[in-house]
Amino acid sequence: MQTLTTQVAIIGAGPSGLLLGQLLNRAGIDNVIIERVSGEYVLGRIRAGILEQGFVDLAREAGAAYRLDEEGAVHEGFSIAQGDRAHRIDLKTLTGGDVVVCYGQVEVTRDLMQLRAAAGATTFYHAADAKIHEPLSANSRVTFRYEDQDYELVCDFVAGCDGFHGISRQTIPQKLRTEHERVYPFGWLGVLSETPPVADEIMYCKSQRGFALASMRSNTISRYYLQVPIDEKVENWTDALFWAELRRRLPKVCADRLVTGASIEKSIAPLRSFVCEEMRYGNLFLVGDAAHIVPPTGAKGLNLAASDVAILYQALRRVYDDDDRSSLARYTEVALRRVWHGERFSWWMTNMLHNFGDMTVDGMAGATFSRFMQSQLDYYLGSENGRRVIAEQYVGLPYEKI
Ligand code: RFL
Ligand code: PHB
């Protein structure tokens, strides 16, 4: 067994783990990251595309926004289409100046990986069997296997940044966590393609055939999603089938100008709302998807991960700079307040924009539920105040100081 020592052990090298690691590095707080898969594998997961201002500000504070500031596209609005009619949500005007930035999670991750490598900070990729020991004692540590060698990482704190399927959340005894979950009866089939996007701004499309999203990564790379049944298999979708179905769900003017091409990536993501109510267990802190999941309809998952990172980072600075551990006790409360706002918004957008068909929802027939949702969407889109409510949440609610 090889023993190493650090101040903060970080489990998971997704955006949460890497961003926290980068902030801690800049503050002179030693940290080691343990990641189960390879760096290339992490970069192969195509996910988020929309960053709130709060995310961008935190990336700047971390010194990680040099490429984001250069290449990220500022979006001053987006659209919600119902059939052939598109309603623009003018984010900038409705919020008094706030916008979002379109810059892929893959690029955020790549930038953070490069900074970490340049700083010479330790990351173990391909680390197997990570386990957290004694998070309640002064003898906290993480063990794992790396290249046929057993390691023990002795630390002050563990940041559980290991996503929904990680081990960190399971380390908190079941009786100490309350888990809230809603699994939706559909998933999103996503395609990335080297084709010009169908519109300059993102478009959320409600249609009789199901929801579709037209997004992008740049002027030459498009990202599209289709609502599909939960048990759908990606093998059933040739590129031709995907484009044909997308065309049927886009407003006609967009469908007519859709440029199609070979898919670079195609995958199905299930939709889920999930919150673990207890994000701390002694010296262990859950961050990002390890503690909560939102359906992607509000573009909130990565952004909520970033607000967790900001809060934990502030609390750790207090510990190491001022020898003050009192903020640690407020981590769960402060983080969850913002998380629940993101959960509510994502759940609401998902309900309004998807087609639940004849499935029973919230104890009522699908047809009844869809009338309520249609009326709700019409009401919000039809008034400036309604559009402002959407805009204010889409750009992201303010970060709370701990
Ligand atoms: P991640 O990205 O899942 O990273 C966790 C890392 O932990 C590793 N790991 C382990 N390492 C060591 N030992 C173990 N036992 C481990 N178990 C797991 C994993 O290999 C992985 O590298 O979580 P993190 O860092 O908290 O980041 C969260 C975001 O990835 C996620 O919230 C977003 O992608 C969600 N999301 C979106 N968020 C937005 O803010 N805006 C968007 O536009 C947006 N679009 C999306 C999305 C997610 C999507 N999918 C596929 C779920 C679109 C989609 C389709
Ligand atoms: C994306 O570009 O991948 C994306 C954009 C907005 C969302 C979800 C995903 O709400």
Side-chain angles (χ1 to χ4, degrees), residues 210-227:
F211 171 78
L213 172 60
S215 181
M216 65 211 65
R217 291 293 174 271
S218 69
N219 290 337
T220 53
I221 299 187
S222 302
R223 179 68 165 161
Y224 296 105
Y225 298 94
L226 292 177
Q227 172 189 350

Side-chain angles (χ1 to χ4, degrees), residues 47-50 102 188 202 204 213 215-217 223 225 296-300 394:
R47 290 183 172 177
I50 292 293
C102 182
W188 276 18
I202 290 184
Y204 294 79
L213 172 60
S215 181
M216 65 211 65
R217 291 293 174 271
R223 179 68 165 161
Y225 298 94
T297 328
K300 286 284 164 265
Y394 198 81

Side-chain angles (χ1 to χ4, degrees), residues 12 15-16 35-36 45 47-49 105 162 289 299-303:
S16 299
E35 166 61 55
R36 192 169 46 87
R45 293 190 294 227
R47 290 183 172 177
Q105 176 169 332
D162 50 353
D289 278 16
K300 286 284 164 265
L302 178 60
N303 291 303

Side-chain angles (χ1 to χ4, degrees), residues 35-48:
E35 166 61 55
R36 192 169 46 87
V37 297
S38 67
E40 296 77 66
Y41 189 88
V42 173
L43 288 176
R45 293 190 294 227
I46 312 293
R47 290 183 172 177

Side-chain angles (χ1 to χ4, degrees), residues 181 238 335:
E181 184 171 46
T238 60

